[in-house]
Amino acid sequence: MEMEMEMRAREDIEIGEDITPPIPPLSYALHHSFLHSHCYSCFSALPLPLPLNSNYNNTKNHHHYYYCSPACTTTRVVSTEELHILQSHHHHPFSSDIRAALRFLQSHPDDRIAGLLTNCRKLLLLQDDDEFAATICEGAKAIATATDTDTASASAALCLVLTNGVEVQDYDGRNLGIAVYPQNFSWINHSCSPNASYRFFLSPPPPCCPNSTKLRILPQHTVLTKDDEVCQDNGPKIVVRSIKRIKQGEQVTVTYTNLLQPKQMRQSELWSRYRFICCCERCSASPPTNVDHTLQEISSASLDASSLSSDQNVYRDYAIRRLTDYIDDAITQYLSFGDPELCCEKLENFLTQGLLYEQLEGREVKSQSTIKLHPLHYLCLNAYTTLASAYKVRASDLFGLYSELDEHLLGALDLSRTSAAYSLLLAGATHHLFRFESSLIATVANFWISAGDSLLTLSRSPVWSEFAKWDLPIANPPLLKCICSKCSLMDNCKAILFHREAQNADFEDISSEFLDCVAIITQKVWSFLIHGCCYLRAFKDPIDFSWLGTSKYSSLRDVQPHLCSTDEEHGYTLQERMHIFQLGVHCLLYGAYLASICYGRHSHLTSQVQNILDCEECLINDSHETD
Ligand SMILES: [Zn+2]
Ligand SMILES: [Zn+2]
Ligand SMILES: [Zn+2]
């Protein structure tokens, strides 16, 4: 029987609390594509321009890698074996894993497993995935040759890195490299409904390392070997934080995958990367959880009922493949061919019309059928993300093209209005799922902040004041004054942004207060925001989805694009502008609040919100001066 590797809470833990000190890695390696932009030791971004002739970089290495500071130069010395691998194996698919494995072997000559799971047999003995196993063997051989060790140890080390390695992300969510952490972190299991999250600290080692937080988790059965003996202080450190209340003795879990995916996608990703089948509560729920059901619900408008019942799964898989291809194709138009307009057209066409298909391959079904997705289907959520971004790009392209105030600029404003509407829909839709699955907190925090940013950008557009039907003496009214007197978001967020301790215990209260407030403002501006966008017009409300109800999404089927073109006038008025501003600030502050729960008060997200709002403080001060 396998040894139980898991971590449990030592004590009761509130939501939004650090539960480990910053844990340094056992081994780590920067991905090849970041060797020239990030520190080889601590993964922080290099000062620019690159310090070519300073003593920070190793001039003997012909600039294969760089350090950000003298401290990093001394804490991370590169062996000749590693340099050799760096030069000769940078094209290998596991290039950074190989370097991490090599480094692990060199720093742990006596304890080659360090209490971690290698999954070596699972990874190597799979008959159906020879290519994967062959790639591992090739990598292990390279390590063995470079270090003069036996292939068995080398492949054990590589498998250990592949099994336990975590992608170290920077503030923009880029995967900078791979790191393996000791048992304190590596024994924390995966769940698709986790109660903890983690974040990284990327900075050169400080003169002394203060450990503010004690370790608040421990394994159930086994005594941990001491990691502290080698007080290595280099490399990106990891901190675990609670995103739900955790009771003493409860297992602590994090996620290894994107939680906004339906079960099948999560499972196949976990299998191909880690070789396990997830049996968490969310995955084993039967019938599937509300969220998993919604994320993959499709309908077929006129499909022959007999063909649907004959083999639902075949039909389903086929439909999803077709849909995925179609959406990928539309996104490619935008990202690879730089045509956001065609991308918007394709995606909206699909969202309103569904995908018409004529027959199933190799089957007898000939009737024409239309596949439609639930508006909260994961592919729809992907489409909203893309549409928000593509409309934004189109708007700024137009703004850049025309300096004269004419209908083009008004057109640009229309585009950024649609972008903000999609952004708000994405946040609202994800928040709807978040109510059933609270571990989506990090995702929803991000989406609220993006929505707030879009709305605020829209309300700040100088074009607006030119076209607006009002004559106020100042171009930018002191908007912050009119934020909100109804909810306590402002107070709570000041607490976060200005470094007082926020009361995360009031999470439910703050959330429902926010939703109440935002529901009222949204009703005032939604019809204005979706003006001219056929698909969005089918949404009665982008945040409260109770209108979807049990009648499924039949109302969305009836949208006809040609009916949307003519419409009553929707002018850009001061009142709309005020409401959009108000809504934007609410979204930003609530997003910052959620982000502070996941990542603490000093995360990039909270400082992003602070930067956006700082501009408004300027507005206030300016207007005081002119008063
Ligand atoms: Zn560094
Ligand atoms: Zn699961
Ligand atoms: Zn409010």
Side-chain angles (χ1 to χ4, degrees), residues 143-168:
I143 299 170
T145 315
T147 55
D148 205 20
T149 35
D150 55 305
T151 330
S153 311
S155 49
L158 184 54
C159 289
L160 180 140
V161 171
L162 290 170
T163 305
N164 299 279
V166 196
E167 285 287 353
V168 179

Side-chain angles (χ1 to χ4, degrees), residues 190 192 278 280 283:
H190 162 86
C192 302
C278 186
C280 74
C283 285

Side-chain angles (χ1 to χ4, degrees), residues 286-572:
S286 175
T289 61
N290 198 328
V291 171
D292 279 332
H293 176 75
T294 307
L295 284 174
Q296 56 186 348
E297 191 178 347
I298 60 172
S299 84
S300 155
S302 52
L303 187 77
D304 191 343
S306 60
S307 69
L308 186 65
S309 54
S310 66
D311 199 344
Q312 282 211 24
N313 286 334
V314 172
Y315 161 72
R316 225 198 145 77
D317 290 352
Y318 171 76
I320 287 298
R321 258 202 320 278
R322 285 283 309 272
L323 292 166
T324 309
D325 288 351
Y326 183 88
I327 289 175
D328 284 351
D329 186 47
I331 294 173
T332 309
Q333 290 296 339
Y334 167 41
L335 294 178
S336 305
F337 301 120
D339 191 346
E341 198 170 345
L342 185 59
C343 168
C344 292
E345 196 188 307
K346 289 188 97 172
L347 286 181
E348 283 180 329
N349 199 31
F350 154 70
L351 288 170
T352 45
Q353 305 281 292
L355 192 65
L356 190 77
Y357 76 100
E358 271 133 34
Q359 62 178 89
L360 292 173
E361 261 173 89
R363 296 182 69 86
E364 293 299 301
V365 188
K366 291 267 164 135
S367 61
Q368 287 210 333
S369 298
T370 309
I371 316 161
K372 278 213 158 190
L373 301 175
H374 188 281
L376 304 184
H377 191 281
Y378 81 98
L379 285 173
C380 286
L381 300 178
N382 288 351
Y384 306 155
T385 313
T386 309
L387 283 163
S389 155
Y391 269 107
K392 194 176 183 175
V393 166
R394 287 174 64 187
S396 70
D397 285 354
L398 254 192
F399 277 127
L401 222 57
Y402 299 95
S403 53
E404 300 274 307
L405 285 172
D406 59 12
E407 71 274 15
H408 289 297
L409 284 187
L410 195 57
L413 201 57
D414 284 342
L415 290 173
S416 61
R417 173 164 70 168
T418 307
S419 166
Y422 274 114
S423 212
L424 184 63
L425 173 63
L426 181 66
T430 314
H431 192 96
H432 180 77
L433 300 173
F434 165 63
R435 288 175 174 197
F436 301 99
E437 181 50 72
S438 60
S439 54
L440 290 171
I441 187 167
T443 318
V444 84
N446 254 306
F447 289 163
W448 279 124
I449 292 172
S450 308
D453 193 14
S454 291
L455 289 161
L456 230 57
T457 309
L458 175 64
S459 77
R460 279 170 180 166
S461 170
V463 184
W464 188 298
S465 46
E466 296 295 330
F467 283 98
K469 294 159 185 156
W470 89 82
D471 2 273
L472 281 179
I474 46 167
N476 289 302
L479 293 162
L480 205 60
K481 279 179 185 167
C482 63
I483 284 182
C484 197
S485 51
K486 292 191 193 106
C487 65
S488 55
L489 256 189
M490 217 35 215
D491 293 336
N492 279 298
C493 293
K494 271 188 191 144
I496 298 157
L497 299 173
F498 301 104
H499 317 309
R500 272 187 288 128
E501 201 56 59
Q503 292 299 308
N504 291 336
D506 305 333
F507 174 70
E508 277 88 5
D509 292 342
I510 292 174
S511 294
S512 68
E513 225 176 8
F514 162 77
L515 284 176
D516 289 347
C517 224
V518 152
I520 295 168
I521 314 171
T522 303
Q523 275 170 12
K524 295 178 189 165
V525 291
W526 183 239
S527 68
F528 169 75
L529 284 174
I530 62 177
H531 175 77
C533 180
C534 316
Y535 177 65
L536 290 174
R537 284 167 49 107
F539 285 80
K540 292 192 183 73
D541 192 312
I543 291 164
D544 176 0
F545 285 90
S546 53
W547 58 270
L548 262 172
T550 47
S551 67
K552 300 235 177 146
Y553 32 103
S554 50
S555 65
L556 288 171
R557 284 185 196 144
D558 306 329
V559 187
Q560 294 297 327
H562 59 273
L563 294 177
C564 306
S565 48
T566 50
D567 199 21
E568 73 276 17
E569 267 290 302
H570 255 301
Y572 287 87

Side-chain angles (χ1 to χ4, degrees), residues 39-44 67-69 72 203-205:
C39 176
Y40 200 65
S41 174
C42 71
F43 287 19
S44 64
Y67 296 113
C68 71
S69 63
C72 282
S203 57

Side-chain angles (χ1 to χ4, degrees), residues 190-193 257 259 263 266-267 270 276-284 292:
H190 162 86
S191 163
C192 302
S193 176
T257 180
L259 298 175
K263 178 180 164 184
R266 298 195 306 270
Q267 296 255 329
L270 291 169
F276 72 85
I277 296 161
C278 186
C279 311
C280 74
E281 224 173 290
R282 186 176 164 195
C283 285
S284 38
D292 279 332

